[in-house]
Amino acid sequence: VEGIKAVGDSVKEESGKDFMLDEKYGYVHSCPSNLGTGMRASVHIDLPGWTEHGVDKLRARCEELALQPRGTRGESGGQTGCTYDISNKHRLGYSEVQLVQAMIDGVNKLYEEDLKLQKELYEFPKFKSVNSLVAKYVTKERWEKHCKHVTSTAGFTLRKAVACAIELDNQSNGVYAGDWDSYKDFAEVFDPLIQEYHGIKPGAKHTSDMDVSKLAGNVNPAAPSCWMRNTDMSIPAHPIWVQE
C-alpha cells in the first residue's frame, strides 16, 4: 500500500499529473478487472496438497475466498509444479487495506487446508470399487511403501494411479499408469494385477506376430457385425494419456 502511494507521488512530481481517478470506477484501466484500486497483492506459495487434490478444486476454493490462483510464470504462463501465485480477485468496491487483508487471510486458510490435504494423501484409501483388482492388490503394506513416491517422467503417484477406484464404484481394474515409470516404480501393484487380468504367469513376456496369413477363417458374414480395431501405444519420456 505504501509502495503504491510512493509511485503515485513520484508520477505527480515528475509529470504534475495524478493517475486517472473516476468517482464510479476508481483508477481507470483498459481491463475492467483492474478497475478500482488497480492493485493485485500476491504471494507465491507451495500447495502440494491442493495440487494433488485437483487444480480445478483449488480454483473453486479460491473463488470462495475471493482469491485468484495463477502459475508463477504470469497470467497466461500456465501452472507448473505445486507453486502458485495467489492474489486478491477484486479491485473495485473494496479499499487497498481490505484487499490485502483478504489476500493474507485467504492464503493462510489455503495453507492450513493444504496441510490437512497432504496428510490425507498418504492415508490408506477407501476404495469405492470394492471388487476391483486394485482393491485386491493395493494392500496397506504396499500403500505405505509407495504412497510418497513420485515418478520422474510425469510426476505420477500411486494415489493418482488408483484415483478412479477411490472415486468411482464401477471399476474392474481400477488403476492407470501415468507414464512408463509407473509400471516399474509401482510394480508390486501393477504386476500381480496384470497377471490376473491377462491370465499370465510371473515372468511372462510379451509376444507379437503380425502375419495375417496365419489367421484361420473370418467372422461369419451372416452375423450382424462391425469391424473395429483399437491400438494403444505411447511414446517414451512422455506422460501417458489416461483414458476416462
Side-chain angles (χ1 to χ4, degrees), residues 133-180:
L133 290 178
V134 80
K136 177 179 179 179
Y137 290 111
V138 177
T139 62
K140 190 171 184 179
E141 180 183 1
R142 287 171 179 167
W143 176 263
E144 291 177 351
K145 181 177 179 181
H146 297 289
C147 67
K148 295 184 179 180
H149 179 75
V150 179
T151 64
S152 59
T153 300
F156 218 62
T157 63
L158 185 57
R159 178 169 285 274
K160 287 182 179 179
V162 303
C164 58
I166 296 174
E167 298 177 9
L168 304 173
D169 62 5
N170 61 352
Q171 300 295 293
S172 55
N173 288 327
V175 64
Y176 290 96
D179 49 23
W180 199 348

Side-chain angles (χ1 to χ4, degrees), residues 59-122:
R59 291 195 186 100
R61 181 63 176 130
C62 284
E63 186 70 25
E64 294 173 350
L65 297 171
L67 299 176
Q68 268 186 329
R70 297 178 177 179
T72 55
R73 296 183 295 180
E75 184 175 3
S76 303
Q79 183 268 333
T80 57
C82 65
T83 306
Y84 299 85
D85 178 302
I86 306 294
S87 63
N88 53 290
K89 177 182 178 180
H90 303 124
R91 322 275 194 269
L92 182 61
Y94 306 87
S95 71
E96 290 81 358
V97 170
Q98 287 176 311
L99 293 175
V100 172
Q101 190 64 59
M103 183 274 292
I104 292 172
D105 293 344
V107 167
N108 286 338
K109 188 65 176 177
L110 287 175
Y111 177 67
E112 176 187 324
E113 293 169 347
D114 192 79
L115 294 178
K116 293 179 181 179
L117 288 170
Q118 287 185 56
K119 185 178 179 181
E120 291 174 5
L121 289 176
Y122 304 128

Side-chain angles (χ1 to χ4, degrees), residues 13 26 28 37 47 49 55 74 77 81 103 131 138 145 148-149 156 185 199 203 207 211 229 238 241 243:
E13 183 180 346
V28 179
T37 64
L47 298 172
V55 176
M103 183 274 292
N131 296 318
V138 177
K145 181 177 179 181
K148 295 184 179 180
H149 179 75
F156 218 62
D185 298 352
T207 181
D211 186 355
R229 180 178 62 86
H238 288 274
W241 173 73
Q243 184 176 3

